[in-house]
Amino acid sequence: MAAKNTLTTVEVKLASLTGKHLSGNAKEVYVDMDDSMIGVLPGHQPEFYRFSAAAVSYITPEGKEEKCYAYDGFLEIEQDQVLIAVRDIFQPGEIKPEDVEKEIEKLQEELKNLPEEEEVEKKAKLEKEIEKKQYLLRKLLNG
């Protein structure tokens, strides 16, 4: 007789390009990304997602909730682990909505002042970055 899946936790790993890393074990993981929410329990079906910004929270085996914000990355779910690779990770309170609003304003001003002969690619890149920052701002405000 085959053994039943007895996983009780998943390993959560977050890594960023800025060198910030977080990890731990969880009995539940929630990733509220862009316009969708993913809940993960041990033994979850493998999945892969791309997101602009996400509020990540997980419940440790002791029942403590850990939370952070992830910016511009990927989420990979396996039966025994949740891997999140991002451009940056922020702890609650580490980044303020006002700071993100200022970044958005700066990018919008840069976009507005682009010379007409500037590459279409540069314009698209700025528009995409503004969109990602707006998602991050929404996650921070709904926190």
Side-chain angles (χ1 to χ4, degrees), residues 52-66:
S52 297
V56 178
S57 62
Y58 62 93
I59 310 299
T60 67
E62 299 77 35
K64 181 180 176 196
E65 181 179 18
E66 299 287 341

Side-chain angles (χ1 to χ4, degrees), residues 34 47 73 81 97-98 132:
D34 299 346
E47 295 182 33
Q81 62 184 338
E98 308 84 59
K132 289 176 188 178

Side-chain angles (χ1 to χ4, degrees), residues 76-143:
E76 181 180 0
I77 301 168
E78 295 293 334
Q79 289 188 343
D80 61 347
Q81 62 184 338
V82 175
L83 306 171
I84 302 172
V86 295
R87 188 183 321 174
D88 209 347
I89 301 167
F90 304 101
Q91 295 289 343
E94 185 178 0
I95 187 170
K96 296 181 177 87
E98 308 84 59
D99 296 337
V100 177
E101 287 171 340
K102 287 177 187 172
E103 291 175 21
I104 291 170
E105 289 171 10
K106 182 180 171 188
L107 290 167
Q108 288 171 331
E109 188 66 27
E110 187 179 342
L111 181 63
K112 187 174 104 179
N113 293 324
L114 268 181
E116 284 189 35
E117 64 276 359
E118 194 68 44
E119 297 177 28
V120 172
E121 188 177 308
K122 172 83 172 176
K123 181 180 177 188
K125 186 176 178 180
L126 280 170
E127 289 171 340
K128 186 65 178 169
E129 190 64 23
I130 290 168
E131 180 183 359
K132 289 176 188 178
K133 294 280 183 186
Q134 289 170 333
Y135 275 119
L136 177 60
L137 180 60
R138 280 193 288 251
K139 298 305 170 199
L140 292 170
L141 292 172
N142 295 327

Side-chain angles (χ1 to χ4, degrees), residues 3-108:
K4 285 189 170 188
N5 184 349
T6 59
L7 290 174
T8 58
T9 63
V10 294
E11 185 176 16
V12 180
K13 293 182 181 180
L14 291 96
S16 75
L17 292 174
T18 60
K20 296 177 192 171
H21 303 287
L22 301 170
S23 64
N25 288 317
K27 58 183 183 177
E28 302 171 34
V29 181
Y30 300 96
V31 185
D32 182 3
M33 55 188 168
D34 299 346
D35 291 326
S36 63
M37 167 78 92
I38 302 295
V40 181
L41 297 173
H44 194 285
Q45 174 79 16
E47 295 182 33
F48 189 82
Y49 298 91
R50 170 93 170 88
F51 62 86
S52 297
V56 178
S57 62
Y58 62 93
I59 310 299
T60 67
E62 299 77 35
K64 181 180 176 196
E65 181 179 18
E66 299 287 341
K67 186 169 188 174
C68 69
Y69 299 97
Y71 180 67
D72 191 19
F74 299 92
L75 164 65
E76 181 180 0
I77 301 168
E78 295 293 334
Q79 289 188 343
D80 61 347
Q81 62 184 338
V82 175
L83 306 171
I84 302 172
V86 295
R87 188 183 321 174
D88 209 347
I89 301 167
F90 304 101
Q91 295 289 343
E94 185 178 0
I95 187 170
K96 296 181 177 87
E98 308 84 59
D99 296 337
V100 177
E101 287 171 340
K102 287 177 187 172
E103 291 175 21
I104 291 170
E105 289 171 10
K106 182 180 171 188
L107 290 167
Q108 288 171 331

